[in-house]
Amino acid sequence: MKAIGRSVPKKESFDKVTGVAMYTADKVEARMLHARLALSPYAHARILSVDTSEAKQVQGVKTILTGDVSDVLIGEEIRDRPIIAREKVRYYGEVVAVAVADTEAAAKRAAELIRVEYEPLPVVNSPVDALRQDAPILHDKLGEYENEGRAVPVPGTNIASVNRLRKGDIDKGWKESEMIAENTVWFMPSDHAAMETRSATAEIRPDGYVVIDTSSQVPFTVKKYMANYFGIGSGWIVVQTPLVGGAFGGKSAIFLEPIVYLASKAVGGRKVKIVLTREEDMASAPVRIGLHATVKLGSTLDGYIKAAHITYRFDGGAYNDKSSDVAKAAVIDCSGPYGIPNLACDCFTLYTNHGFAAAFRGYGHSELTFAMERAIDALADKLGMDPWELRFRNAAVPGDTAPTRDLLTPSNLGDIKTCLNRLKILSEWEGWQVRQIDAYRIRAKGISCFWKNSSMDTDASSGAIILFNPDGSINLETGVVEIGTGTKTVLAQILAERMRMSPERIHVKLTVDTRTTPEHWKTVASRGTLLAGRAVLKAADDAIRQLLDIAACVLRADPEDLVLENEKVFVRADPSVNIEVREICYGYVYPNGNAIGGQIIGRGHYIQRRMNPLNPVTGEGTPGPEWNVGAQAVEIEMDTRDCSYRLMKAISVNDAGKVLNPEGARGQVMGAMAMGLSFANREGFDYNEQGMVLNPTLRDFSVLRYDENPSYIVEFIETPCLDAPYGARALGEHGMIGMPAALADALSRAAGVRLNQLPLYPETVWRARMGYSHVFL
Amino acid sequence: MRIELLLNGEKHLVEVQPPELLLDVLRETFGLTGAKPGCRNGDCGTCTVTVNGWPMKSCLMLAAEASGQAVVTVEGLGDADIQQAFVDKFAFQCGYCTPGFIMNIHALSSKHPQADEATIRDWLQSNICRCTGYEEIRQAVVSVLEGKVKGM
Ligand code: FES
Ligand code: FES
């Protein structure tokens, strides 16, 4: 009956294969109103006038909202973003007005009839542009914005935040270096493209409750910020989230909620629903961050890296949202999984006239890893050293310090060297790295190595409640949103293991309602298993204590002599004395009718110990609980005539700490690998010179389809993390982190030129081979 | 206008607007929200149902065009092998693409019970899954087709 280490199917499996699984937009109510957005066709422009007269004539229209409706500025780090654009628009697709009507069709027609007059302004189209002396300034009031204190903006520039990190003595590091390699990489912002587009409803009840249903990873954050932004007591805000149809970080930003709230307020509190179209979801809603980065490495001739200087220029888009925090996460782990003694990192998060960046699966890590790994490959080239060997020599080990100066231990650091060793065998690295198949086709392999800590709020917490049913089964409630990762099922396994019962006897509540569900900080950072898992264990212990107490009365034994197993409580030394859990979990009734106890309710919470924020100048601090690590490889086959290529094989070796649900874990890693490959191979917004997005559809922004996938090899090693339930390390994001770098490495080897730009369209490879440089450099 | 729909085996007379998509009528009139909008542009396949046994993207069909035809949505499948195969093979994560894949594969397995790799590849190109690496979906398809072939 082991619950841990078993491939328990997702609790919501049958809901999902029969179509009864409900997502936010599936709720249809007769009296609901519908909202549609009017979006800016310019990336940067002054709003001269907004004429809603024609739109208001459309039959069924209730109201039209423009920027005038609220002067509240929002943002989690810097409050720089109007809910509906005022005075200026700063990106293509920014919301300029909202139409609310009886039907979606009427709202759409009205939105189309809103006439906005603009005066176009020059655009900032890349982070490099943003730093130019003569760059147009996006936010002239940057110095006046409210700031949570974690971002360090530079008023009068386009710099939303500067973060620096210094470790060791960089000058000494350069002096000890006999070889220097410098490499620059870049890629444009791109999209999460979850299959469910974002949607939300809001209603203000007559008694004052604000009820929001939203397709979000962060219902508790929505509650907190709605309270802040609109001055509502947080108890009056109820946020509900059903199943979420893919999120990947994109649904951890607050975006639609304040819009529908204002819409509902404008129509006397009636329920208003908004569902984004795919085009809106891509162009208007938050995107994935872009990057331009330079990494300079210094090493000895035998490949020991002595110094690294990393410069990031992140394309955070028009508003800061979480981009400065994503950037900070990239600073925290800037060295990659290498024990580099002397480090300097300068990180600029820049305002550009692109969509604003939210979290994306990996939170800055596939970004930093691409920059660092490409530099490692450049160094290996210069040293004439095998890139695997160079990585192995420099792999961080317990006793080294992280860039944040945290001491690395066997518990807080996964085993990089074992991952690399397994990768070497699985990829047959020593056999060949590049080989000619026939006159035109070349096969090549590439590798990469990564680590990731999470960048959590220092008070990120999670809670769990367990309630017994009369049949002895348990209902489990946690604040983790089920976004597809199967975390709720894994939590049931964790609970079952502690309660010594079958996970099939645990019923999980799949939806979140912030009024009754215990808070879980955010369903991000692959931290559901650690934070909620620890809370569940505590709740289990709480319930076990109560069960043993009541069993002790009934069995007339000391609770310390009792054990729980298989839904029975036994006297340890004499198992013939026992009682079924179902006889005591709802109170025990004596034969004469007297009763004791009551429904057993267990509760638990967890907060990560001893974390502290980063010093913005030195980068010192404790950002998260542990560094999970892995090593990856990609094999491709390229046609040298046109540089088209196929993905043949992708390998990931991850240190999972402990695999709790093998099939689930494999699926998480494979899915993330596919996403990383898709990103590196073809994903990115195509901005024209005016900053307009030319490809906001799934036709033009294509993602990997069925037959484009390589064969996947996923292997886990298990070095337990002592803080985590059963030793399990984070897993949900890690399959993707090294994929772009490994793909670029393989293709570079096949093409014979160093490829540093994503996505790696065949044309990009061809241009590099022909020696054409990119327009943005 | 009034149309007659043979929906999940039952006959319905229903009033629709001429420009209404089959997808919207299924979802809003009948509450059959298993068919999902992912793009409303024919690009993603989350809205797939079957019409006369063939997979059809319900965002590319007007409700009026479906008049008199047999439409089956995931809710009308009863319990098809492919549903159990999806559970057994862990062939979904968020589940948003799942009804569309299931309807497509269900049609595939009835139209081509002996489908080879190339046919499977051809059919499955029409649906996007953003969560998985499609490997588990492939395994689910193969297990159903093998079951079919064995059963013959
Ligand atoms: S919604 Fe029909 S194909 Fe995407
Ligand atoms: S399971 Fe999420 S899109 Fe396929």
Side-chain angles (χ1 to χ4, degrees), chain A residues 527-541:
Chain A
R527 287 301 173 197
T529 311
L530 172 70
L531 300 178
R534 285 288 298 266
V536 165
L537 288 176
K538 210 167 179 176
D541 291 343

Side-chain angles (χ1 to χ4, degrees), chain B residues 23 36-47 57-60:
Chain B
L23 173 64
K36 308 264 183 239
C39 68
R40 295 174 172 277
N41 194 35
D43 298 332
C44 74
T46 55
C47 62
K57 289 171 173 166
S58 61
C59 72
L60 290 184

